[in-house]
Every structure is written in structure tokens, then in C-alpha cells.
Amino acid sequence: MLRFFVIGVLAFTMGLRGAYVRRLGVPDVSTVVITSTLTALTADSPFGGGHGEGSGRRGGVVVALLAGAVLGALLVKSDLALVLLAAALLALATAVLLVPGARSAAE
């Protein structure tokens, strides 16, 4: 039963994250659907016939997601509480450090 509760909480927070990023309007970054980021990275690259605009940011997103996946997998092997604590701390750090700057840039 606890497993389904954790899955529900994680799904809810992923949905909130996706909605919040859409609301902030961060360009060139798709956090909900990584495949669209990879597609845009590839299609807009010089190899795909594009000019490479936004490639640095999109590449950074892919690297960050890969690093997060590896770290998350390592944490899951040790303790689920560490995973949830790390997610909560990262969400808090994002809210405190990045959201105010993104809001002022959007205005």
C-alpha cells in the first residue's frame, strides 16, 4: 500500500513541476517530455540541417536529466527516504534560487 502512495505522490509532484515550468515559460526546455527536447536538439543541430540555436541549453537539460537519473538510481539502491529527501531539497532550492529570477525575467 505504501508503494502506491509513493507513486501517487511522485506522479502528483511531477505534474506540478510540469505545470509550473509551463507557467514560467522557460524557452527551449521541455522537462515533461524529454523526447521533444532530444528531437529539437537533433533537428536544430547542424547535423540535422539547423543552425544549432538553443543547443547549449537543450544539451544541458539532457545532461542534467541523465545525472539526476543516475543519482536517483543510486539513491534508490540505498534508501527510499534519501530519494524523497533529495527531491524535496532540490525542489526547495529551485523555488528559493531560480523562481524569483525567472519571474522577474518574465515581467
Side-chain angles (χ1 to χ4, degrees):
M1 192 64 161
L2 178 62
R3 173 187 288 176
F4 294 117
F5 175 75
V6 171
I7 291 170
V9 169
L10 292 175
F12 178 74
T13 57
M14 287 175 66
L16 281 177
R17 179 196 63 179
Y20 200 73
V21 169
R22 282 182 61 92
R23 189 169 181 215
L24 287 175
V26 179
D28 295 329
V29 178
S30 174
T31 60
V32 179
V33 184
I34 187 62
T35 53
S36 67
T37 303
L38 290 171
T39 302
L41 180 65
T42 305
D44 294 341
S45 73
F47 297 113
H51 300 291
E53 296 175 18
S55 294
R57 186 182 308 186
R58 291 177 185 142
V61 167
V62 172
V63 169
L65 286 168
L66 179 61
V70 170
L71 180 61
L74 292 173
L75 286 174
V76 166
K77 290 186 104 176
S78 64
D79 189 7
L80 180 61
L82 288 176
V83 175
L84 297 176
L85 177 64
L89 290 175
L90 286 171
L92 180 63
T94 300
V96 170
L97 299 174
L98 300 179
V99 170
R103 280 190 181 154
S104 64
E107 293 174 354

